[in-house]
Amino acid sequence: MRTLTRLLLPCVLLVGSGTFSAFAEDEETHGEVPRAVEVPEAIREFLQFNCLDCHEGEYAEAGFDVTSLEAGLGEENLDRWVRVFDRVHDGEMPPPDASTLEPEETAAFVRQSGDWLRAYQRRQQQRLGRVRARRLTNLQLERSLQHVLGIDVPLSRELPDEPRSDGFTTVAEAQSVSHFQLQQHLDVVDMALEEAFRRAIDGDDLASQRREMSAQDVARTNPRRRTREPEMLDGAAVVWSSGLSFYGRLPATTAKQSGWYRFEVEASALKKPDDHGVWCSVRSGRCVSSAPLYEWVGMFAAQNEPQRWTFETWLDQGQMLEIRPNDRTLKQARFAGGQVGTGEGEPQNVPGVALHEVVMQRFHRGADDDAIRRILFDDLPLEVSAKPNAKRRGRAADRDVEVILDSDDPAADIARLMHRFAGRAFRRPVAPASIAHYVDATTQAVEDGQPLVEALRDGYRALLCSPRFMYYYEPPGELDDAAIATRLSYFLTGGPPDAVLLQLAAEDRLSDADVLEQQVERLLEQHDSRFIRDFANQWLDLSEINFTEPDRRLFRRFDILVQQSMLAETEMFLTDMLRRDASTAQLIDSPHTFLNERLARYYGIDGVTGDRWQRVELRPEDHRGGVLTQGAILKITANGTNTSPVIRGVWVSERLLGVPIAPPPESIPAIEPDTRGATTIRQLLEKHLSDDSCASCHVKIDPPGFALENYDPAGQWRTHYRRGGRSNKQGAKIDPGYEWPDGTSFADINQFRQRVLEDRRRIAANVAEKMIAYGTGAPASFADRPALEQIVASTQESDYGFRSLLKAVVTSELFRRK
């Protein structure tokens, strides 16, 4: 054990340093930082003659001092040089009304500076790769450990939150590793190994963990007590519509052991409204005031006749289900003292749900116990003998049991098992010599008297803390087939490559673009909804849906059912786009969406019934179409109380339109334009437009922001603002129009979308850029722009189809090089 601990330490230190010899990068990679590249004379003269008058010194316009670039081009100011190129290329600088430049002069500067910047970046990429060393994200680590060990425990929640760069946790430049994170990694590895060894040694008798519970079983045990469990009424366990916390908790469903559980719920409605069912939420938690947090499980719409629904969820030990009517549009009962007495709800004439039966079954996702035993020990016989009064908990070494892994030749079996395990963990063929130090340490531990089963566990622990497991193995340059398999699998499934990809990599076939496309189709057929969920959670910030909650007094129709339906709408819409290879223009406008009855009613769209998801054709009066106007996006881009054209404008520009918004210069946060006399958000922003330091960005930000002002913070259509504060009275009429600097204008969201869709190529380029950043670990750089243009151009015949773009990204040079 002591030997293995010494072995683990250098692995951890190497990871913490962000560099390790396993990657075999040249010494130049870790040499001195290159000095700044001198500015070519033609570029220097252009800036001096055309920019210096306005952009020099402490009071330079927009906080941009041209003289700061005289030192040359380096990593620290590359972004500033690219912004200079873009502003000149786009005709924004020098300002047309203040410039005497001939078009030929501008074109020459754009050509010369572009070539200079690209040459610099490509030299850097040749040395270091376009992607720096990157590690697995929390979610990727969870799925990797599950795959390697065959377990199903959700591990990512045990890890600290991850920073995001360019919207994604996968981007290498944001992936610092602290000592705290290293300790958390070790803890998660130990949790994973404990579960794998527990199941391999003890096993789980899942058949004995099935429970069929009648209404009486899930109802309150003492009808005379005022409590928050269902009450018995006419042979059913009943929960009435109410705002009381934890009302509808089911202690009978309390998990005695942490794990995955499948629930079959049979229920019907009581006092159902005439036009819709009684919408109920299914959530999990401890359901007590000291542990108030819920986990979402699902929803259903109860009807007059009993129906059955199936839900699957992870429950920690001690957690239970809560099933209740949770539709805020329903009349709600009131109960005194925070508890509910039997018979107190029915006289209040409110809707309710009647539970007839609940079936609870623990199950495993992934490998069964025998498969895990083979992963860990292959064909070695395992003997477990319990001593009297044995405690069956904890590691084998800590139990009062004897666990013997029978081996005639421990040294040979250790070498064989460790090599086999390393291949799974490292996601590529492993040369025996490369793990010889792990094997030697494990063998030595057995020779020193440690039981074989414990020595193997510690050996596996060391391998799972190796940089080869924690990091992508991607030397600079063209990726080998094993690295392509790994990058493709984590991109589309969030997990390590399966047997098919590994076999193709072993045959050196993944470098063939046709084979790569076939694998994209195969993986999407199995995992397209998972890919969309993982990708959209970060690209569109869907993971932030809980960050704010609309004020209940202002937005009374919003509830958890609406929020979860909004998420599902966006995920189903994007999945459908991917399956149909729909044009990425449908992100901005689409003739249809996907709704259930609850969300349709919230949007004010008729003709949708029940809790089944349906494709719905939209009418102009519905004011919907595309991701741009879906409730999840509108909620995420508001603060729960009011809307801001600036916040929404920045979000839409960067996430959907492909219009980068530069961060404000360092001097700007402390300097605000004179906004005295402004009484509306439009007047405030017009004051910003009059300030040169603000105007260059606000002409890009404000149009999409104002175009969405007809949608309130909870995602509903509105024509007027509220009068003020928490008042529900109608205030000023909303003006969603805007006039661009070129004199063109739009009056509403529909005209805005028409203008945006005049350049469908830009929408597609933005999607491709997001896929590149998410899939490769680095955003598209200035030097990558020609390759990005080729990706987009190759999909023009499909009208820039979503699936076509994805395949073009995967088969591109950008994806297949570090």
Side-chain angles (χ1 to χ4, degrees):
M1 179 65 180
R2 201 172 296 165
T3 304
L4 285 168
T5 302
R6 288 199 301 270
L7 174 64
L8 189 61
L9 181 60
C11 296
V12 170
L13 293 176
L14 286 169
V15 173
S17 71
T19 175
F20 34 86
S21 59
F23 277 19
E25 299 178 49
D26 12 83
E27 294 177 4
E28 187 182 10
T29 297
H30 306 300
E32 296 181 2
V33 177
R35 289 176 295 179
V37 176
E38 186 176 352
V39 183
E41 188 61 30
I43 295 175
R44 186 189 302 275
E45 289 180 357
F46 181 93
L47 296 178
Q48 288 177 342
F49 293 143
N50 298 285
C51 305
L52 213 56
D53 287 347
C54 299
H55 295 282
E56 182 180 19
E58 182 180 356
Y59 301 104
E61 289 189 13
F64 177 62
D65 182 4
V66 170
T67 60
S68 66
L69 299 178
E70 290 180 351
L73 172 61
E75 288 295 310
E76 71 283 352
N77 66 4
L78 176 61
D79 289 343
R80 292 173 68 84
W81 274 108
V82 171
R83 285 202 293 274
V84 169
F85 172 90
D86 286 339
R87 297 291 294 279
V88 176
H89 176 273
D90 295 341
E92 297 175 12
M93 287 291 167
D97 59 353
S99 174
T100 58
L101 274 175
E102 295 296 329
E104 294 80 7
E105 294 178 90
T106 300
F109 173 81
V110 167
R111 184 182 64 256
Q112 292 165 351
S113 60
D115 291 344
W116 180 55
L117 291 171
R118 276 188 292 273
Y120 172 82
Q121 276 202 313
R122 285 171 179 163
R123 285 195 301 272
Q124 294 294 88
Q125 290 179 3
Q126 287 175 357
R127 293 178 57 248
L128 305 172
R130 63 174 297 277
V131 185
R132 302 300 191 257
R134 61 181 178 129
R135 60 172 172 80
L136 303 180
T137 66
N138 290 350
L139 185 60
Q140 291 171 348
L141 176 60
E142 172 186 287
R143 291 177 182 166
S144 298
L145 288 170
Q146 290 173 344
H147 171 80
V148 171
L149 296 169
I151 60 173
D152 57 7
V153 179
L155 299 165
S156 58
R157 59 184 183 165
E158 306 294 332
L159 295 165
D161 290 340
E162 298 174 285
R164 291 163 63 180
S165 178
D166 287 86
F168 299 105
T169 60
T170 57
V171 173
E173 66 182 22
Q175 292 184 329
S176 60
V177 179
S178 68
H179 289 289
F180 173 71
Q181 288 170 310
L182 289 172
Q183 183 59 56
Q184 292 297 100
H185 177 87
L186 290 170
D187 291 344
V188 164
V189 167
D190 284 338
M191 288 175 60
L193 285 168
E194 174 59 33
E195 174 67 4
F197 275 72
R198 181 195 68 79
R199 288 182 56 188
I201 294 170
D202 294 342
D204 280 324
D205 182 8
L206 298 179
S208 66
Q209 299 187 39
R210 176 182 170 85
R211 297 181 57 203
E212 297 181 2
M213 293 171 278
S214 66
Q216 186 68 59
D217 293 330
V218 298
R220 59 188 65 183
T221 55
N222 185 352
R224 297 179 182 179
R225 288 187 58 192
R226 301 185 76 247
T227 181
R228 302 188 194 187
E229 286 87 55
E231 63 184 86
M232 286 299 294
L233 179 65
D234 298 330
V238 173
V239 182
W240 301 104
S241 173
S242 167
L244 184 64
S245 297
F246 313 128
Y247 180 37
R249 65 187 180 188
L250 307 178
T253 64
T254 302
K256 297 180 180 179
Q257 184 178 356
S258 297
W260 286 99
Y261 290 85
R262 182 177 297 111
F263 291 93
E264 295 177 37
V265 177
E266 182 177 324
S268 61
L270 296 175
K271 301 184 180 181
K272 184 183 81 70
D274 293 336
D275 57 344
H276 59 83
V278 176
W279 278 81
C280 300
S281 63
V282 183
R283 296 183 289 183
S284 66
R286 294 190 178 272
C287 297
V288 292
S289 58
S290 59
L293 298 180
Y294 287 110
E295 293 291 334
W296 180 256
V297 178
M299 69 179 90
F300 63 90
Q303 306 295 333
N304 288 329
E305 295 300 318
Q307 294 176 265
R308 294 182 79 89
W309 293 269
T310 300
F311 305 97
E312 294 181 355
T313 188
W314 174 272
L315 293 181
D316 285 325
Q317 184 179 17
Q319 290 186 332
M320 66 183 75
L321 289 192
E322 178 211 71
I323 302 177
R324 65 184 300 166
N326 221 339
D327 183 346
R328 293 287 300 278
T329 66
L330 296 175
K331 180 182 177 182
Q332 295 188 336
R334 295 181 179 274
F335 302 107
Q339 302 293 344
V340 181
T342 300
E344 292 181 4
E346 186 177 16
Q348 298 188 51
N349 196 33
V350 298
V353 61
L355 303 177
H356 303 286
E357 184 182 44
V358 176
V359 179
M360 181 177 183
Q361 171 71 65
R362 185 159 175 256
F363 71 101
H364 285 304
R365 290 181 168 175
D368 60 23
D369 296 339
D370 287 338
I372 293 177
R373 193 173 298 114
R374 289 192 297 273
I375 288 172
L376 298 178
F377 311 129
D378 196 17
D379 56 355
L380 294 185
L382 183 71
E383 299 177 10
V384 181
S385 57
K387 297 178 181 179
N389 302 317
K391 295 181 180 179
R392 306 289 291 170
R393 292 176 294 179
R395 291 181 54 168
D398 301 329
R399 304 175 186 141
D400 194 10
V401 297
E402 187 176 13
V403 181
I404 299 175
L405 192 60
D406 192 12
S407 171
D408 295 331
D409 188 349
D413 285 328
I414 287 171
R416 175 173 61 88
L417 292 174
M418 294 280 285
H419 184 264
R420 186 166 165 267
F421 189 88
R424 290 175 65 87
F426 296 171
R427 305 174 285 275
R428 60 170 52 241
V430 176
S434 68
I435 62 165
H437 47 306
Y438 296 99
V439 173
D440 292 344
T442 306
T443 304
Q444 184 63 50
V446 172
E447 292 176 356
D448 291 343
Q450 188 176 21
L452 177 57
V453 68
E454 290 299 321
L456 275 174
R457 176 194 171 108
D458 290 332
Y460 293 159
R461 182 178 190 251
L463 289 172
L464 293 175
C465 293
S466 164
R468 292 289 186 115
F469 172 71
M470 294 175 64
Y471 279 73
Y472 287 71
Y473 182 78
E474 297 178 342
E478 188 173 342
L479 299 180
D480 64 21
D481 284 60
I484 292 174
T486 294
R487 183 177 281 194
L488 176 65
S489 185
Y490 280 117
F491 176 42
L492 296 183
T493 75
D498 60 12
V500 174
L501 282 177
L502 291 176
Q503 181 60 38
L504 290 170
E507 297 169 0
D508 295 330
R509 295 178 59 196
L510 286 179
S511 300
D512 185 321
D514 290 337
V515 174
L516 205 49
E517 278 201 34
Q518 292 168 8
Q519 291 309 300
V520 170
E521 291 290 351
R522 181 181 69 85
L523 293 175
L524 287 180
E525 184 177 347
Q526 300 171 8
H527 304 286
D528 58 3
S529 58
R530 174 192 279 190
F531 164 72
I532 287 296
R533 186 177 302 110
D534 292 347
F535 180 47
N537 268 349
Q538 298 188 44
W539 167 34
L540 302 178
D541 288 326
L542 296 185
S543 60
E544 305 296 316
I545 193 76
N546 292 315
F547 189 71
T548 62
E549 182 176 350
D551 191 315
R552 292 186 176 186
R553 285 172 286 187
L554 298 179
F555 308 103
R556 297 174 180 173
R557 299 180 66 227
F558 183 88
D559 54 41
I560 187 65
L561 301 170
V562 168
Q563 175 174 294
Q564 295 302 127
S565 296
M566 286 175 169
L567 275 179
E569 174 194 18
T570 300
E571 290 175 1
M572 293 183 70
F573 181 83
L574 292 171
T575 302
D576 178 69
M577 279 186 60
L578 185 61
R579 290 173 179 173
R580 294 187 298 108
D581 196 23
S583 172
T584 49
Q586 291 194 11
L587 294 169
I588 307 303
D589 196 10
S590 171
H592 68 272
T593 190
F594 292 85
L595 302 173
N596 59 20
E597 181 272 326
R598 180 69 187 94
L599 187 57
R601 184 156 47 93
Y602 184 77
Y603 285 166
I605 297 175
D606 299 327
V608 181
T609 59
D611 50 20
R612 183 176 61 85
W613 284 92
Q614 304 163 48
R615 174 175 167 139
V616 176
E617 300 302 316
L618 297 169
R619 307 162 300 172
E621 57 267 32
D622 295 328
H623 307 296
R624 303 286 165 178
V627 166
L628 181 65
T629 57
Q630 289 176 1
I633 302 307
L634 298 165
K635 179 186 181 298
I636 286 165
T637 55
N639 66 7
T641 302
N642 52 46
T643 58
S644 165
V646 174
I647 294 174
R648 278 184 173 167
V650 170
W651 191 95
V652 171
S653 296
E654 294 185 337
R655 303 306 174 91
L656 295 179
L657 304 184
V659 177
I661 305 298
E666 294 179 3
S667 60
I668 296 302
I671 301 174
E672 284 291 324
D674 185 355
T675 57
R676 288 173 294 182
T679 59
T680 67
I681 185 65
R682 182 175 289 274
Q683 290 172 342
L684 285 169
L685 292 181
E686 285 175 352
K687 294 281 188 176
H688 280 77
L689 286 172
S690 65
D691 188 293
D692 291 337
S693 297
C694 305
S696 61
C697 286
H698 276 276
V699 295
K700 301 175 183 178
I701 294 169
D702 295 352
F706 278 116
L708 292 174
E709 274 294 270
N710 279 123
Y711 299 92
D712 69 21
Q716 288 189 297
W717 177 261
R718 63 185 179 182
T719 57
H720 292 74
Y721 292 109
R722 297 178 187 274
R723 185 167 293 181
R726 297 185 181 275
S727 171
N728 280 303
K729 294 182 179 180
Q730 193 174 88
K733 185 176 181 180
I734 293 171
D735 176 10
Y738 193 87
E739 181 175 332
W740 275 289
D742 63 4
T744 60
S745 62
F746 61 85
D748 54 27
I749 182 65
N750 293 325
Q751 291 185 11
F752 170 78
R753 288 191 289 206
Q754 291 172 13
R755 167 70 181 263
V756 168
L757 292 177
E758 290 175 3
D759 188 1
R760 301 158 84 91
R761 186 207 61 81
R762 185 157 202 168
I763 306 299
N766 174 66
V767 175
E769 282 189 79
K770 302 305 180 189
M771 289 179 177
I772 288 167
Y774 176 69
T776 70
S781 67
F782 185 84
D784 297 332
R785 290 181 181 181
L788 179 63
E789 290 172 2
Q790 291 177 5
I791 290 171
V792 176
S794 71
T795 65
Q796 185 172 2
E797 289 187 5
S798 67
D799 194 15
Y800 308 112
F802 198 18
R803 196 182 194 91
S804 295
L805 267 178
L806 189 151
K807 290 193 288 187
V809 165
V810 169
T811 56
S812 71
E813 180 184 6
L814 293 181
F815 193 86
R816 296 193 287 178
R817 294 183 67 86
K818 180 178 185 295

